[in-house]
Amino acid sequence: MKKMMLSALAMATLLITPAMAWEVAVTKQQLPAEAQAFLKTNFAKSEVVVATHDKDIADNDYTVILNDGTKVEFDAKGKWESVKNKGAKIPASVIPAQIANFVNAHYAGVGIVQIEVKRFGYEVELSNDLELKFDKAGRCVGIDD
């Protein structure tokens, strides 16, 4: 009886798991309008190399990789959630002004290579591997080295 229950559970898991999550390739034109506008505004000179739409029960988002090595993640509506490029600075147009001003004042010459929107505000990684946390108003609330 125990083996039969385990077998049934394993079979149900195998059948349900693929239906719960999948990732499909999409074109730039299939991205939400807000994501297309963000890319056009902030990465006009870059080309989309790969774009995917990831659907699962808990999340529904898009990932875009550009030819300059930048990776941008968007939510289901096309609002950016993270921008990352370990090889280059993130464009200033992506960074909220208060955060950019703080980084310029305290870490002159150091670039922002990653920014993520979090529940509490923003998490920023600098080119010197320092991580800064900012609240929603752009005030620095933490530093992690």
Side-chain angles (χ1 to χ4, degrees), residues 25-117:
V26 295
T27 65
K28 183 178 177 180
Q29 294 74 23
Q30 292 173 307
L31 295 170
E34 188 172 345
Q36 290 181 45
F38 178 86
L39 293 171
K40 184 176 182 179
T41 300
N42 299 292
F43 298 96
K45 295 180 181 177
S46 299
E47 294 294 322
V48 173
V49 175
V50 176
T52 58
H53 185 191
D54 188 17
K55 296 180 185 182
D56 63 37
I57 289 177
D59 212 9
N60 182 7
D61 55 14
Y62 296 86
T63 301
V64 174
I65 298 175
L66 304 173
N67 64 342
D68 67 356
T70 301
K71 178 180 178 182
V72 185
E73 294 180 357
F74 299 97
D75 68 11
K77 295 179 181 177
K79 184 171 178 153
W80 74 272
E81 295 179 322
S82 116
V83 179
K84 179 179 183 177
N85 187 332
K86 291 289 187 178
K89 294 180 184 180
I90 301 299
S93 57
V94 174
I95 312 299
Q98 186 114 356
I99 293 173
N101 292 339
F102 179 89
V103 171
N104 289 334
H106 294 79
Y107 302 97
V110 178
I112 296 174
V113 296
Q114 180 174 344
I115 184 166
E116 290 184 61
V117 178

Side-chain angles (χ1 to χ4, degrees), residues 1-10:
M1 180 71 166
K2 193 174 187 180
K3 283 184 180 182
M4 196 161 120
M5 291 292 277
L6 285 174
S7 294
L9 181 61

